[in-house]
């Protein structure tokens, strides 16, 4: 490798291995130091004609012309193409390049994952992808993140809402023209059917310029019911996003994972979303949401609301939803919501203790202002396995509450991972925590993160760990980079 020289080496050696059907070459990443122009792409495609082993191709650092993208599309369309994962092109690919690639995507018999993050994608490219998704049965995972020009129009085009809206507008125009010309002028043509995704279940749209209007378009599409995972991180949905997401939850009856980090919902938007969860009971519950028994987030197991500017209103609504046994929620991320206080999270702990549905297994409260009341309440939450408290101002009172609850019989019975990094623990607080664990508290705990605390800067801290390590060799304590290996059982 020659540093500073980009694209100086071709693909001849790799093409030879592909043409020879080398069974060891199953994943290929074409680095920036390689050329990947039109002729190189053509060589790669020819070498894949009889290949049965290459399942992953990554060439995301290289610009592709529409013609080169079309060659890759032709490769995907070949009945015997073994490729399952593809990421190629850079931000210059644009709508024309995506459209050229999409023609092959629609005919694929093998591709399960397509990564088009940061490819300069807009509404026209999204419309081409929508047509491809209607016939691409194997394709279950599509990444479109970091395409800020996609926007609401692009999302609407992707899920078919745009074509429906255009048809409605055309129909309205025809009706108006007919009225001007007099009755009996004839009926308008039927609206074209919106494309329905054949296989897509996971959709990533982080940083795509989507607003609440785009979420509403997705909710109104028949494709919403097909989604199992949706990532919307970094889109400014705003307070109006709460209502739009509530509608989406009602329509997306199979949705299991929803990521909303940094979507600026605010406390009002968060409250609306949480209220929608309150209408969804666990599958074993008696409450039904219509003939299908779905909707309202019934299937949701993972909800990420980090950095959404949430507060007391959202927390109260979440507490009500969880206490009523809402849905199947197992993981909840509330990190970075600094307005969430100790009383708010303590109410959440009480709701979890009283919950009738499946247990919440993972909870991240990092960056909130929780303290002793929260720890006392959460200590009795059944089934809680992972708890994140990074950066929470626990101080002496919070640390004392944690140590005390650890020593109480039956508390933290299912806890496997605990992070108290950056929580202000001094030597006294850290010593009390480690002593409680050394006595056998939280018997299932295998991972404890304690970095960035004053105690860990003290020369005496390693001595505190000696007794714990001797008593519980299966418990890894992470307090400085590379210090501890993974837990090892005897």
């Amino acid at each position: 490798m020659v540093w500073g020289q980009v694209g100086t080496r071709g693909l001849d050696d790799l093409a030879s291995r592909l043409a020879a059907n080398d069974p060891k070459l199953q994943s290929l990443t074409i680095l920036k130091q390689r050329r990947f122009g039109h002729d190189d792409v053509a060589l790669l495609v020819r070498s894949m004609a009889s290949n049965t082993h290459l399942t992953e191709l990554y060439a995301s650092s290289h610009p592709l012309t529409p013609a080169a993208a079309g060659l890759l599309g032709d490769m995907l369309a070949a009945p015997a193409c073994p490729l399952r994962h593809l990421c190629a092109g850079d931000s210059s690919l644009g709508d024309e390049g995506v459209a050229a690639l999409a023609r092959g995507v629609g005919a694929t018999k093998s591709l399960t994952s397509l990564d088009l993050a940061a490819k300069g994608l807009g509404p026209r490219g999204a419309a081409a992808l929508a047509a491809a998704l209607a016939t691409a049965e194997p394709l279950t995972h599509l990444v479109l993140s970091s395409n800020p020009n996609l926007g609401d129009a692009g999302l609407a085009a992707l899920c078919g809402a745009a074509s429906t809206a255009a048809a409605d507008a055309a129909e309205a125009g025809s009706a108006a023209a007919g009225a001007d010309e007099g009755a009996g002028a004839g009926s308008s043509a039927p609206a074209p059917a919106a494309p329905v995704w054949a296989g897509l279940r996971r959709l990533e749209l982080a940083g795509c310029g989507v607003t609440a209007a785009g979420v509403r378009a997705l909710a109104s599409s028949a494709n919403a019911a097909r989604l199992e995972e949706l990532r919307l991180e970094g889109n400014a949905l705003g307070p109006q996003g709460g209502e739009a997401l509530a509608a989406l939850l009602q329509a997306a009856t199979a949705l299991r994972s929803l990521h909303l980090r940094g979507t600026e919902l605010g406390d009002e938007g968060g409250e609306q979303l949480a209220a929608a969860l309150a209408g969804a009971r666990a599958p074993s519950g008696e409450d039904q949401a219509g003939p299908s028994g779905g909707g309202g987030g019934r299937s949701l197991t993972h909800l990420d609301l980090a950095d959404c500017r949430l507060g007391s209103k959202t927390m109260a609504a979440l507490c009500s939803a969880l206490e009523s046994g809402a849905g199947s929620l197992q993981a909840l991320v509330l990190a970075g919501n600094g307005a969430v206080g100790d009383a708010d999270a303590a109410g959440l702990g009480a709701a979890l203790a009283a919950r009738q549905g499946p247990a919440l297994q993972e909870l991240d409260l990092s960056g909130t202002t929780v303290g002793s009341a929260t720890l006392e309440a959460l200590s009795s939450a059944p089934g809680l396995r992972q708890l994140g408290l990074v950066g929470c101002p626990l101080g002496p009172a919070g640390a004392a509450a944690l140590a005390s609850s650890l020593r109480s019989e039956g508390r933290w019975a299912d806890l496997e991972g605990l992070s108290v990094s950056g929580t202000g623990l001094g030597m006294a607080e850290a010593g009390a925590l480690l002593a409680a664990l050394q006595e056998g508290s939280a018997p299932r705990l295998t991972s404890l993160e304690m970095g960035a605390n004053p105690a860990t800067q003290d020369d005496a801290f390693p001595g505190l760990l000696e007794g714990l390590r001797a008593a519980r060799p299966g418990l890894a304590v992470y307090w400085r980079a590379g210090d501890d290996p993974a837990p090892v059982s005897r």
Side-chain angles (χ1 to χ4, degrees), residues 348-373:
L348 186 66
L352 292 177
R355 192 182 189 197
Q356 299 301 311
L360 186 74
Q361 298 177 13
E362 301 177 21
L363 177 61
D364 191 353
L365 293 169
S366 300
T368 63
T369 55
V370 303
S372 56

Side-chain angles (χ1 to χ4, degrees), residues 308-326:
C308 282
R309 304 179 184 175
L310 309 180
S312 296
K313 292 181 179 179
T314 301
M315 293 301 292
L318 276 174
C319 290
S320 177
L322 290 170
E323 190 169 359
S324 66

Side-chain angles (χ1 to χ4, degrees), residues 8 61-62 103 113 125 139 153 232 242 247 257 295 300 306 323 342 350 362 378 385 389 427 456 470 477:
T8 59
S61 60
H62 298 272
R103 288 190 286 273
S113 176
L139 187 61
L232 290 168
S257 183
L300 199 65
E323 190 169 359
D342 196 23
E362 301 177 21
L378 287 176
R385 297 180 182 177
L389 298 169
M427 282 293 288
T456 62
V477 182

